[in-house]
Amino acid sequence: MIAMTPPLVTHPVQIFLIVLVIILFAPLLLNKLKIPHIIGMIVAGVVIGPYGFNVLADDSSFDIFGQVGLLYLMFLAGLEIDMYHLRLNLRRGLLFGALTLFVPLILGVLTGVYILRLDWLTAMLLGSMYASHTLISYPVVARFGITKSPAVLMSIVGTIISVIGALLVLAAVVNVRREGIFDLAELLWLLAKLALWVIALLYLYPRITRHFFKRYNDKVTQYVFVLVMVFTAAVTAQTIGLEAVLGAFFAGLILNRYVPPMSPLMSSIEFVGNALFIPYFLISVGMMINLRVIANGATMTVAAVMLAVALISKWIPALIAQRAAGLGGSSRGVMFGLTAAHTAVALAVVTLGYNLGMLDERILNSTILVILVTCAAAPIITAAYASRLKIHLLSNDNDDTPTRQRTNNTLVAVANPVTATAMMEMAVLIRNDVGRHSFFALHVRNDNSAAAKAISANSLAEAAKAASAADISVTRLERYDINTVTGLLNTIEERDITEVFLGMHRRATIVDSFLGNKVEQLLRGTNRMLIISRCFIPVNTLTRIVVWVPKGAQYETGFSRWVRVLARLTRQLGCRIIFCCQDALQPLVRGILYQENYGIRCEFDAAISPDDFVLMSNRVLDDDLFVVISSRPQAVSYDDHIAEMPALLQKYFSRNNLMVIYPEQFGEAVALTSFVDPLATDIARTPSPLWLRFRALRKKIKF
């Protein structure tokens, strides 16, 4: 099938340049024509391929990068799935999966026997080709931001079932062809290997990934590790007789939990895949297509029948599943567009049948034409209906509530370069994706020495680097002030900050308090929400978020805001959140989560006494994040138990991942001095000359 004449370009550097030019200009040109860029990649592959102008050869480099791109595409599809919504739509997805497997299989067998005049065994093989499909148009729904919609999730479940079912049918047909009889034991053995493979990956992958991420924080190392896990799953799937795409997809489902959507690691994975590997795969698909088969009349007749079966057999399941689930017509179109494309598995089925002598060249060429048409039509259909579904979701969504659209300005106080990255990564995970959310990184120094300026610049650079890795812009603020707290307070007022992220204070002396004097002064100087965190492990390896809520917390001004912050963090991490609170507070928390449609796994535990708080130290694990909702003095929820909280945290939770949240409050900030506290000082007042001389002398003595 490969052209005998040598290609025009054979030098590796020139080949790579041509591919990069196609990746760059194909989307730009076709976007003006309102055509999905996927079509541009495939058409470009046809033009430059051996069946077009023969510019490039369909050699081993395209085989390698094309296969890698296909696995990458399936891995991304599994990685970007919202597991919570997937569970909610699992029953409907199973129905759609059964339909999109058996309807094409039955239609393929009947048309193969009675129209194409094939024997029953060959028709069964052809039916497995119709049943399989590839999520080639998944990038379209990802661009429209509807990956959490029921239609997309049902299509993903349907893909899993149809691919597994098609491969099982293929294995049974090949076994009958080679052995002459149907061997039930061989099919059962394949199912047993599939079950053992799934169990092994479910057990090993989470443990290996959590252990690796705890030990290595470098993003490049983590990225390479993820790719190793993906291709290990693909190779092991091939070893037991399944397709590599199934292994890559299943690896994405498992690693979904450890790669938050807003994390720098996720940004790197998406960037490399969308910029290189997936376009390479699409171009390689186009290079396999031979348009000259259209000139053959016999082939066109067979191709017309196969194309009609391929499209109708995928449209009928989408129609039935859409009606059964009570969805709209746009959802049916998205489901049909996602499941209509036939590529890798279909080509593998007909190639194997051709090599076994079961399928002739007409079927092989007709399959190529089916791949061409379905790969071209699927993205167009998906894009057309995805835009309607997006409008429908927006018109029926509750995301336009005033609380969700509120502007957020987050200030991250970075004290040194060592903790700046972790602080900014935690802040990025609570980003509100609806409305405007601005980030500021602040370092306050009270020294003009070169060393102090270097620490400030490095701290802000590390924070900005962590934010940019997650594709978040951050404003760097360097401030000189005699007192650190004064600099923070002035920045909060100048930038209209809504929440402040701080690192947990480390006690310097025995008489030092748990939170530190600066945090206590900051609490007295501002009524904005303060979030103080300390994590001993990477945040993406947390397994649960346990929240302790005091009595009367629902009456505080910032009640809904801290609930939304924790909900966004839980959604990014994909873990469970457990609220330990009074029964009266549970419906209020549920109401906020339902109104904002966060879709997270939420549990409640009635724990309200101080004794229960102490006992929590035995229930909070090393992989948990323990969140304490505190309050300022004179607040509604403040009592003696809140006053004792810092001491209890220091005594019982010194080795746990911890976050203390002080919700925002109405009213003006109280004075920073207190006649009750004889050690309190007015930090807004300029220090005396005697104090400045004493501090300079102390620095000289230290050096």
Side-chain angles (χ1 to χ4, degrees), residues 380-397:
I380 297 176
I381 296 172
T382 305
Y385 285 98
S387 59
R388 303 179 191 177
L389 181 58
K390 180 67 174 181
I391 296 174
H392 175 73
L393 293 175
L394 290 176
S395 62
N396 293 277
D397 201 353

Side-chain angles (χ1 to χ4, degrees), residues 496-516:
D496 193 22
I497 300 300
T498 55
E499 57 256 347
V500 181
F501 264 86
L502 301 169
M504 185 130 326
H505 166 72
R506 295 187 178 183
R507 298 181 66 183
T509 62
I510 298 178
V511 297
D512 196 2
S513 63
F514 176 69
L515 295 176

Side-chain angles (χ1 to χ4, degrees), residues 173-398:
V173 171
V174 172
N175 182 261
V176 172
R177 177 69 178 182
R178 290 174 176 173
E179 304 296 333
I181 59 173
F182 174 70
D183 191 353
L184 180 61
E186 187 71 21
L187 184 60
L188 293 177
W189 173 235
L190 179 60
L191 290 174
K193 289 190 293 183
L194 173 62
L196 291 175
W197 177 76
V198 170
I199 293 173
L201 261 62
L202 287 175
Y203 179 81
L204 294 175
Y205 266 42
R207 289 163 175 79
I208 295 174
T209 303
R210 187 180 293 113
H211 176 74
F212 189 90
F213 281 0
K214 286 181 180 179
R215 295 194 60 182
Y216 303 99
N217 293 326
D218 180 65
K219 295 302 178 289
V220 176
T221 305
Q222 289 184 352
Y223 175 78
V224 176
F225 168 79
V226 168
L227 289 187
V228 170
M229 300 295 280
V230 172
F231 284 91
T232 300
V235 171
T236 53
Q238 285 182 322
T239 303
I240 65 174
L242 299 175
E243 276 294 316
V245 292
L246 185 63
F249 183 79
F250 195 63
L253 289 177
I254 299 176
L255 297 177
N256 181 294
R257 164 70 181 77
Y258 304 98
V259 186
M262 295 299 299
S263 65
L265 180 58
M266 186 65 176
S267 298
S268 301
I269 292 173
E270 290 182 333
F271 173 78
V272 176
N274 294 327
L276 186 62
F277 288 128
I278 295 177
Y280 237 111
F281 159 66
L282 298 173
I283 294 174
S284 67
V285 170
M287 296 180 71
M288 295 186 300
I289 297 173
N290 186 2
L291 295 179
R292 295 183 178 90
V293 300
I294 301 178
N296 191 323
T299 301
M300 279 299 299
T301 303
V302 176
V305 174
M306 292 181 61
L307 184 60
V309 174
L311 294 177
I312 294 174
S313 64
K314 290 299 181 180
W315 182 82
I316 293 176
L319 174 63
I320 298 175
Q322 171 252 323
R323 296 287 179 85
L327 302 176
S330 55
S331 296
R332 178 182 66 243
V334 169
M335 295 164 64
F336 173 59
L338 285 173
T339 59
H342 299 269
T343 53
V345 180
L347 192 60
V349 169
V350 296
T351 302
L352 183 59
Y354 181 78
N355 294 333
L356 292 175
M358 301 176 66
L359 301 175
D360 57 19
E361 193 173 10
R362 294 182 308 153
I363 303 295
L364 183 62
N365 290 334
S366 298
T367 303
I368 298 296
L369 188 59
V370 169
I371 291 175
L372 169 63
V373 176
T374 56
C375 287
I380 297 176
I381 296 172
T382 305
Y385 285 98
S387 59
R388 303 179 191 177
L389 181 58
K390 180 67 174 181
I391 296 174
H392 175 73
L393 293 175
L394 290 176
S395 62
N396 293 277
D397 201 353
N398 292 324

